[in-house]
Amino acid sequence: QVQLVESGGGLVQSEGSLRLSCAASGISVSDNAMAWHSQTPGKPREVVARISSGGVTKYSDSVKGRFTISRDNTKNTLDLQMNGLQPEDTAVYYCTAGRLIPYYAPTYWGQGTQVTVSS
């Protein structure tokens, strides 16, 4: 059974930093394309960062240069380092595992972790 469990969300002031982590079980993070998605009320979920099984990363324009996606193969975790946070980054962040076919198609979802950025 595949499980993705996010942690690290919370409340932070503008320009602050947070590091989200996603612990995977039942799959290997190194063998899958994986991504972080954000969702705000009334809007669809969007991919903010993804990493291919080969390690190629891609970011949305809104987070490029501020967020970094990485994985720890020994711990089997996917991380998202979030720097320079802004109030508009406030969202629930989800970790997913899926495939690039060639667009990213998530198969498994975590439960999400709330990030709130105050001005």
Side-chain angles (χ1 to χ4, degrees), residues 12-18 62-63 65-67 81-89 117:
V12 64
Q13 290 188 331
S14 182
E15 295 299 331
S17 298
L18 281 175
S62 63
V63 307
R66 299 188 298 123
F67 291 9
Q81 179 66 43
M82 312 166 74
N83 297 329
L85 284 161
Q86 301 298 320
E88 52 266 33
D89 295 317
V117 185

Side-chain angles (χ1 to χ4, degrees), residues 48-113:
V48 296
R50 65 168 170 84
I51 184 167
S52 71
S53 57
V56 178
T57 59
K58 188 173 182 179
Y59 300 91
S60 67
D61 289 341
S62 63
V63 307
K64 198 174 297 181
R66 299 188 298 123
F67 291 9
T68 302
I69 189 171
S70 62
R71 60 188 182 206
D72 187 325
N73 295 340
T74 58
K75 295 181 180 179
N76 208 32
T77 59
L78 179 75
D79 296 329
L80 185 68
Q81 179 66 43
M82 312 166 74
N83 297 329
L85 284 161
Q86 301 298 320
E88 52 266 33
D89 295 317
T90 295
V92 178
Y93 286 79
Y94 297 88
C95 165
T96 65
R99 297 188 298 161
L100 282 172
I101 52 173
Y103 57 88
Y104 180 68
T107 304
Y108 303 105
W109 290 80
Q111 83 286 352
T113 186

